[in-house]
Amino acid sequence: MKPYAHRGPGGGVAAVVISSKVREGREVDYRRWQQKINDTMRSFPGFQGSDVYPPIPGEQDVWVVVFRFSSTTELTGWLDSETRRRLLEDVRPLLEKPSELEILAGEPPTREAVTAVISHNVQPGRERDFQRWQDKVRKAQEKFPGFLGFEAFEPVPGVQEHWVVMFRYDTREHLDDWLESGTRRKLLDEGRHYFADFDVRTVKSAFSGWFRFNGETAREPPPNWKQAMSVLLGLYPTVMILNLTVGRAFEAVRLPGYLAMFISNGLSVSILTWLMMPLVNRAFTSWLSPSGGGSPFTNIAGALVMVACMALCIAVFGLITS
Protein backbone atom coordinates (compact mmCIF):
# COMPACT_ATOMS: atom_id res chain seq x y z
CA MET A 1 0.00 0.00 0.00
CA LYS A 2 1.46 3.32 -1.03
CA PRO A 3 1.16 6.36 1.26
CA TYR A 4 0.72 9.69 -0.50
CA ALA A 5 1.40 12.02 2.42
CA HIS A 6 3.43 12.31 5.60
CA ARG A 7 3.85 9.15 7.66
CA GLY A 8 6.33 7.56 10.06
CA PRO A 9 9.09 5.06 9.20
CA GLY A 10 8.19 1.97 7.21
CA GLY A 11 7.55 -1.49 8.61
CA GLY A 12 5.48 -2.07 11.70
CA VAL A 13 1.96 -3.45 11.60
CA ALA A 14 -1.06 -3.50 9.29
CA ALA A 15 -4.67 -2.96 10.26
CA VAL A 16 -8.04 -3.08 8.57
CA VAL A 17 -10.82 -0.76 9.73
CA ILE A 18 -14.27 -2.17 8.93
CA SER A 19 -17.43 -0.07 9.29
CA SER A 20 -20.83 -1.82 9.35
CA LYS A 21 -24.38 -0.42 9.51
CA VAL A 22 -26.29 -3.06 11.47
CA ARG A 23 -30.03 -3.48 10.91
CA GLU A 24 -32.20 -2.24 13.76
CA GLY A 25 -32.97 -5.05 16.19
CA ARG A 26 -30.11 -7.27 15.01
CA GLU A 27 -27.41 -5.85 17.29
CA VAL A 28 -27.31 -8.93 19.55
CA ASP A 29 -26.94 -11.22 16.53
CA TYR A 30 -24.17 -9.00 15.20
CA ARG A 31 -22.30 -9.17 18.51
CA ARG A 32 -22.47 -12.97 18.39
CA TRP A 33 -21.18 -12.97 14.82
CA GLN A 34 -18.38 -10.57 15.75
CA GLN A 35 -17.31 -12.87 18.58
CA LYS A 36 -17.31 -15.78 16.13
CA ILE A 37 -15.04 -13.98 13.68
CA ASN A 38 -12.72 -12.87 16.51
CA ASP A 39 -12.37 -16.46 17.69
CA THR A 40 -11.70 -17.67 14.14
CA MET A 41 -9.01 -15.07 13.44
CA ARG A 42 -6.87 -16.14 16.39
CA SER A 43 -5.64 -19.12 14.35
CA PHE A 44 -4.52 -17.00 11.38
CA PRO A 45 -0.81 -16.18 10.96
CA GLY A 46 0.17 -12.69 12.04
CA PHE A 47 -3.08 -11.84 13.85
CA GLN A 48 -2.33 -9.52 16.79
CA GLY A 49 -5.73 -8.47 18.10
CA SER A 50 -8.97 -6.63 17.47
CA ASP A 51 -11.07 -3.81 18.91
CA VAL A 52 -14.83 -3.37 18.48
CA TYR A 53 -16.47 0.06 18.85
CA PRO A 54 -20.30 0.24 18.95
CA PRO A 55 -22.16 3.21 17.44
CA ILE A 56 -21.99 6.53 19.29
CA PRO A 57 -25.47 8.13 19.57
CA GLY A 58 -25.62 11.43 17.74
CA GLU A 59 -22.12 11.02 16.29
CA GLN A 60 -21.73 7.86 14.19
CA ASP A 61 -24.31 5.18 13.47
CA VAL A 62 -21.96 2.38 12.41
CA TRP A 63 -20.03 -0.33 14.21
CA VAL A 64 -16.28 0.12 13.74
CA VAL A 65 -13.98 -2.89 14.07
CA VAL A 66 -10.17 -2.75 13.87
CA PHE A 67 -8.22 -5.95 13.14
CA ARG A 68 -4.43 -5.78 13.57
CA PHE A 69 -1.88 -8.00 11.82
CA SER A 70 1.92 -8.06 11.92
CA SER A 71 2.20 -7.31 8.17
CA THR A 72 0.14 -6.32 5.15
CA THR A 73 0.85 -9.72 3.54
CA GLU A 74 -0.68 -11.59 6.47
CA LEU A 75 -3.63 -9.21 6.60
CA THR A 76 -4.27 -9.73 2.89
CA GLY A 77 -4.10 -13.50 3.45
CA TRP A 78 -6.97 -13.20 5.91
CA LEU A 79 -9.01 -10.90 3.66
CA ASP A 80 -8.68 -13.31 0.73
CA SER A 81 -9.35 -16.46 2.76
CA GLU A 82 -12.24 -18.84 2.20
CA THR A 83 -12.96 -18.72 5.94
CA ARG A 84 -13.64 -14.97 5.79
CA ARG A 85 -15.84 -15.38 2.71
CA ARG A 86 -18.02 -17.88 4.57
CA LEU A 87 -18.30 -15.57 7.58
CA LEU A 88 -19.30 -12.66 5.33
CA GLU A 89 -22.17 -14.77 3.98
CA ASP A 90 -23.39 -15.25 7.57
CA VAL A 91 -23.37 -11.54 8.40
CA ARG A 92 -25.03 -10.16 5.25
CA PRO A 93 -28.62 -10.55 6.59
CA LEU A 94 -27.64 -8.51 9.66
CA LEU A 95 -26.41 -5.45 7.73
CA GLU A 96 -28.27 -2.70 5.91
CA LYS A 97 -25.51 -2.57 3.28
CA PRO A 98 -22.10 -4.17 2.68
CA SER A 99 -19.41 -3.14 5.16
CA GLU A 100 -16.84 -0.52 4.18
CA LEU A 101 -13.19 -1.47 4.56
CA GLU A 102 -9.96 0.52 4.80
CA ILE A 103 -6.48 -0.97 5.12
CA LEU A 104 -3.81 0.95 7.02
CA ALA A 105 -0.14 0.01 7.27
CA GLY A 106 2.71 1.56 9.21
CA GLU A 107 4.12 1.96 12.70
CA PRO A 108 1.78 1.49 15.67
CA PRO A 109 1.25 4.64 17.78
CA THR A 110 3.85 5.04 20.53
CA ARG A 111 1.29 6.28 23.05
CA GLU A 112 -2.41 6.09 23.82
CA ALA A 113 -4.36 8.21 21.34
CA VAL A 114 -7.72 8.97 19.78
CA THR A 115 -7.70 8.24 16.06
CA ALA A 116 -9.93 9.49 13.25
CA VAL A 117 -10.19 7.50 10.03
CA ILE A 118 -11.59 9.44 7.06
CA SER A 119 -12.35 7.90 3.68
CA HIS A 120 -12.77 10.15 0.62
CA ASN A 121 -14.48 9.48 -2.69
CA VAL A 122 -12.17 11.51 -4.94
CA GLN A 123 -13.41 13.00 -8.20
CA PRO A 124 -11.93 11.20 -11.26
CA GLY A 125 -8.97 13.14 -12.65
CA ARG A 126 -8.56 15.25 -9.50
CA GLU A 127 -6.26 12.83 -7.62
CA ARG A 128 -3.13 15.02 -7.72
CA ASP A 129 -5.12 18.09 -6.68
CA PHE A 130 -6.56 16.05 -3.80
CA GLN A 131 -3.07 15.05 -2.67
CA ARG A 132 -1.89 18.65 -2.63
CA TRP A 133 -5.02 19.69 -0.73
CA GLN A 134 -4.55 16.88 1.80
CA ASP A 135 -0.96 17.97 2.41
CA LYS A 136 -2.28 21.47 3.13
CA VAL A 137 -4.74 19.96 5.64
CA ARG A 138 -1.93 18.07 7.37
CA LYS A 139 0.15 21.22 7.80
CA ALA A 140 -2.85 22.97 9.36
CA GLN A 141 -3.48 20.04 11.71
CA GLU A 142 0.09 20.05 12.97
CA LYS A 143 -0.50 23.51 14.49
CA PHE A 144 -3.40 22.28 16.67
CA PRO A 145 -2.78 21.15 20.29
CA GLY A 146 -2.49 17.41 20.87
CA PHE A 147 -1.66 16.42 17.29
CA LEU A 148 0.35 13.15 17.28
CA GLY A 149 0.56 11.89 13.71
CA PHE A 150 -0.90 11.57 10.24
CA GLU A 151 -0.96 8.86 7.56
CA ALA A 152 -2.71 8.77 4.20
CA PHE A 153 -3.24 5.96 1.69
CA GLU A 154 -4.20 5.63 -1.96
CA PRO A 155 -6.89 3.20 -3.13
CA VAL A 156 -5.95 -0.45 -3.64
CA PRO A 157 -7.75 -1.92 -6.70
CA GLY A 158 -10.02 -4.76 -5.74
CA VAL A 159 -9.56 -4.21 -2.00
CA GLN A 160 -10.15 -0.57 -1.12
CA GLU A 161 -11.76 1.93 -3.47
CA HIS A 162 -11.46 5.07 -1.32
CA TRP A 163 -8.58 7.36 -0.42
CA VAL A 164 -8.04 7.01 3.33
CA VAL A 165 -6.58 9.43 5.87
CA MET A 166 -5.81 8.54 9.48
CA PHE A 167 -4.73 11.07 12.11
CA ARG A 168 -4.26 10.91 15.88
CA TYR A 169 -4.67 13.33 18.79
CA ASP A 170 -3.78 12.79 22.44
CA THR A 171 -7.33 13.38 23.75
CA ARG A 172 -10.87 13.38 22.45
CA GLU A 173 -11.19 17.08 23.26
CA HIS A 174 -8.20 17.96 21.08
CA LEU A 175 -9.54 15.81 18.24
CA ASP A 176 -12.92 17.54 18.49
CA ASP A 177 -11.21 20.95 18.54
CA TRP A 178 -9.75 20.15 15.13
CA LEU A 179 -12.88 18.51 13.68
CA GLU A 180 -15.07 21.46 14.72
CA SER A 181 -12.58 24.22 13.94
CA GLY A 182 -13.15 27.06 11.50
CA THR A 183 -9.80 26.20 9.88
CA ARG A 184 -11.03 22.72 8.96
CA ARG A 185 -14.38 24.05 7.70
CA LYS A 186 -12.59 26.41 5.32
CA LEU A 187 -10.34 23.61 4.10
CA LEU A 188 -13.35 21.33 3.54
CA ASP A 189 -15.02 24.02 1.44
CA GLU A 190 -11.89 24.16 -0.67
CA GLY A 191 -11.56 20.37 -0.86
CA ARG A 192 -15.10 19.81 -2.20
CA HIS A 193 -13.72 20.66 -5.63
CA TYR A 194 -11.69 17.43 -5.43
CA PHE A 195 -13.89 14.86 -3.67
CA ALA A 196 -17.57 13.92 -3.94
CA ASP A 197 -18.09 12.89 -0.32
CA PHE A 198 -16.26 11.68 2.77
CA ASP A 199 -16.91 9.65 5.92
CA VAL A 200 -15.40 10.11 9.40
CA ARG A 201 -14.98 7.39 12.03
CA THR A 202 -13.21 7.57 15.38
CA VAL A 203 -11.24 4.86 17.18
CA LYS A 204 -10.57 5.23 20.88
CA SER A 205 -8.45 3.47 23.51
CA ALA A 206 -7.92 -0.26 23.14
CA PHE A 207 -8.95 -0.62 26.82
CA SER A 208 -12.14 1.43 26.56
CA GLY A 209 -14.44 -1.60 26.53
CA TRP A 210 -13.52 -2.28 30.17
CA PHE A 211 -14.59 1.19 31.25
CA ARG A 212 -18.34 1.72 30.93
CA PHE A 213 -20.52 4.24 32.74
CA ASN A 214 -24.33 4.10 32.79
CA GLY A 215 -24.21 1.14 30.40
CA GLU A 216 -22.16 2.87 27.69
CA THR A 217 -18.47 2.91 26.85
CA ALA A 218 -16.92 6.17 27.97
CA ARG A 219 -16.67 8.80 25.23
CA GLU A 220 -13.05 9.21 26.38
CA PRO A 221 -11.51 6.44 28.52
CA PRO A 222 -9.89 7.28 31.87
CA PRO A 223 -6.15 8.10 31.92
CA ASN A 224 -3.85 5.08 31.69
CA TRP A 225 -2.82 5.28 35.37
CA LYS A 226 -6.46 5.14 36.49
CA GLN A 227 -7.13 2.22 34.15
CA ALA A 228 -4.11 0.36 35.56
CA MET A 229 -5.15 0.90 39.20
CA SER A 230 -8.73 -0.16 38.45
CA VAL A 231 -7.72 -3.32 36.63
CA LEU A 232 -5.29 -4.22 39.44
CA LEU A 233 -8.02 -3.74 42.05
CA GLY A 234 -10.32 -6.08 40.11
CA LEU A 235 -7.63 -8.56 39.09
CA TYR A 236 -5.90 -9.24 42.44
CA PRO A 237 -8.92 -10.63 44.37
CA THR A 238 -10.03 -12.52 41.25
CA VAL A 239 -6.70 -14.34 40.93
CA MET A 240 -6.42 -14.98 44.67
CA ILE A 241 -9.91 -16.48 44.93
CA LEU A 242 -9.29 -18.68 41.90
CA ASN A 243 -5.98 -19.86 43.34
CA LEU A 244 -7.63 -20.76 46.66
CA THR A 245 -10.54 -22.61 45.02
CA VAL A 246 -10.06 -23.75 41.45
CA GLY A 247 -6.26 -23.88 41.78
CA ARG A 248 -6.40 -26.25 44.73
CA ALA A 249 -8.95 -28.40 42.92
CA PHE A 250 -6.58 -28.66 39.94
CA GLU A 251 -3.78 -29.74 42.25
CA ALA A 252 -5.99 -32.39 43.82
CA VAL A 253 -6.77 -34.00 40.45
CA ARG A 254 -3.18 -33.49 39.22
CA LEU A 255 -4.23 -31.45 36.17
CA PRO A 256 -1.21 -30.60 33.96
CA GLY A 257 0.17 -27.15 34.72
CA TYR A 258 -0.16 -25.79 31.18
CA LEU A 259 -3.85 -26.78 31.05
CA ALA A 260 -4.56 -25.49 34.55
CA MET A 261 -2.97 -22.15 33.61
CA PHE A 262 -5.09 -21.85 30.46
CA ILE A 263 -8.35 -22.57 32.32
CA SER A 264 -7.41 -20.21 35.15
CA ASN A 265 -6.58 -17.41 32.71
CA GLY A 266 -9.88 -17.93 30.90
CA LEU A 267 -11.81 -17.75 34.17
CA SER A 268 -9.84 -14.67 35.28
CA VAL A 269 -10.56 -12.76 32.08
CA SER A 270 -14.25 -13.71 32.15
CA ILE A 271 -14.74 -12.76 35.81
CA LEU A 272 -12.79 -9.53 35.34
CA THR A 273 -14.73 -8.48 32.24
CA TRP A 274 -18.28 -9.34 33.30
CA LEU A 275 -18.18 -9.10 37.09
CA MET A 276 -15.24 -7.31 38.69
CA MET A 277 -14.73 -4.41 36.27
CA PRO A 278 -18.46 -3.48 36.22
CA LEU A 279 -18.34 -3.43 40.05
CA VAL A 280 -15.19 -1.29 40.11
CA ASN A 281 -16.66 1.07 37.51
CA ARG A 282 -19.86 1.45 39.51
CA ALA A 283 -18.00 2.11 42.76
CA PHE A 284 -15.55 4.61 41.24
CA THR A 285 -17.66 6.26 38.52
CA SER A 286 -17.10 9.80 39.83
CA TRP A 287 -13.33 9.20 39.78
CA LEU A 288 -13.02 7.28 36.50
CA SER A 289 -15.55 9.20 34.41
CA PRO A 290 -13.92 12.16 32.61
CA SER A 291 -16.89 14.37 33.54
CA GLY A 292 -16.46 13.77 37.27
CA GLY A 293 -12.81 12.90 37.87
CA GLY A 294 -10.88 15.83 36.50
CA SER A 295 -10.00 17.94 39.55
CA PRO A 296 -6.68 17.36 41.40
CA PHE A 297 -8.52 16.80 44.70
CA THR A 298 -10.78 14.14 43.17
CA ASN A 299 -7.85 12.42 41.48
CA ILE A 300 -5.82 12.24 44.71
CA ALA A 301 -8.77 11.22 46.88
CA GLY A 302 -9.83 8.50 44.45
CA ALA A 303 -6.28 7.16 44.20
CA LEU A 304 -6.01 6.99 48.02
CA VAL A 305 -9.29 5.10 48.25
CA MET A 306 -8.02 2.70 45.55
CA VAL A 307 -4.81 2.11 47.53
CA ALA A 308 -6.84 1.56 50.72
CA CYS A 309 -9.02 -1.03 48.97
CA MET A 310 -5.93 -2.83 47.68
CA ALA A 311 -4.37 -2.82 51.17
CA LEU A 312 -7.59 -4.26 52.60
CA CYS A 313 -7.55 -7.05 50.00
CA ILE A 314 -3.93 -7.87 50.85
CA ALA A 315 -4.70 -7.96 54.57
CA VAL A 316 -7.75 -10.21 54.11
CA PHE A 317 -5.94 -12.72 51.89
CA GLY A 318 -2.93 -12.58 54.19
CA LEU A 319 -5.14 -13.74 57.09
CA ILE A 320 -6.80 -16.42 54.95
CA THR A 321 -3.56 -17.93 53.71
CA SER A 322 -1.53 -17.65 56.92
Side-chain angles (χ1 to χ4, degrees), residues 37-322:
I37 196 172
N38 288 348
D39 293 341
T40 302
M41 291 181 71
R42 292 191 179 99
S43 63
F44 270 74
F47 178 67
Q48 294 188 342
S50 63
D51 301 300
V52 181
Y53 304 96
I56 302 173
E59 182 175 326
Q60 65 184 35
D61 60 354
V62 297
W63 291 70
V64 178
V65 184
V66 181
F67 295 118
R68 300 184 302 279
F69 282 77
S70 57
S71 72
T72 305
T73 300
E74 289 165 325
L75 171 57
T76 304
W78 158 250
L79 294 175
D80 293 339
S81 68
E82 181 61 30
T83 301
R84 178 173 177 268
R85 281 193 285 269
R86 288 197 301 268
L87 288 166
L88 289 180
E89 290 295 330
D90 294 339
V91 79
R92 280 197 179 96
L94 309 180
L95 305 180
E96 290 190 5
K97 60 181 181 178
S99 299
E100 296 182 3
L101 174 151
E102 283 93 27
I103 297 176
L104 309 171
E107 291 295 316
T110 57
R111 55 176 294 184
E112 197 76 13
V114 184
T115 302
V117 180
I118 305 181
S119 56
H120 298 83
N121 183 11
V122 177
Q123 301 276 13
R126 305 305 300 270
E127 291 84 1
R128 300 283 79 81
D129 293 329
F130 175 79
Q131 291 179 18
R132 286 190 288 269
W133 171 80
Q134 192 63 72
D135 191 55
K136 185 176 180 180
V137 173
R138 174 184 61 81
K139 291 177 181 177
Q141 280 184 284
E142 290 175 345
K143 299 176 182 178
F144 274 68
F147 178 76
L148 295 178
F150 176 101
E151 289 184 282
F153 305 88
E154 295 184 10
V156 178
V159 176
Q160 170 184 299
E161 302 304 322
H162 297 95
W163 296 66
V164 180
V165 175
M166 179 179 69
F167 51 84
R168 297 185 296 273
Y169 281 82
D170 58 352
T171 67
R172 183 56 193 251
E173 285 78 12
H174 283 151
L175 173 62
D176 287 342
D177 287 345
W178 162 251
L179 293 176
E180 298 167 5
S181 67
T183 301
R184 179 171 179 266
R185 281 195 295 271
K186 292 178 181 177
L187 287 165
L188 285 177
D189 289 340
E190 177 184 338
R192 293 185 195 281
H193 297 293
Y194 315 129
F195 58 82
D197 53 54
F198 67 94
D199 182 45
V200 181
R201 275 143 293 168
T202 57
V203 180
K204 302 182 287 295
S205 165
F207 294 101
S208 61
W210 268 353
F211 295 89
R212 302 173 66 87
F213 309 101
N214 300 321
E216 296 183 358
T217 301
R219 180 179 175 89
E220 180 185 341
N224 287 348
W225 65 275
K226 289 187 179 182
Q227 295 187 36
M229 291 187 72
S230 301
V231 173
L232 179 59
L233 179 60
L235 182 62
Y236 175 69
T238 300
V239 173
M240 287 299 300
I241 291 172
L242 287 175
N243 284 342
L244 294 172
T245 55
V246 178
R248 292 181 177 178
F250 289 160
E251 291 179 1
V253 299
R254 298 182 181 277
L255 193 70
Y258 64 88
L259 183 57
M261 179 65 72
F262 175 80
I263 297 174
S264 296
N265 286 345
L267 290 172
S268 297
V269 171
S270 300
I271 294 171
L272 190 67
T273 301
W274 288 292
L275 177 61
M276 295 304 294
M277 288 310 301
L279 290 176
V280 172
N281 290 340
R282 192 175 300 117
F284 289 90
T285 296
S286 60
W287 183 66
L288 289 169
S289 175
S291 62
S295 70
F297 175 79
T298 302
N299 285 335
I300 294 172
L304 291 175
V305 174
M306 275 274 183
V307 171
C309 290
M310 294 177 193
L312 178 61
C313 289
I314 294 171
V316 169
F317 286 113
L319 291 173
I320 293 174
T321 57
S322 60

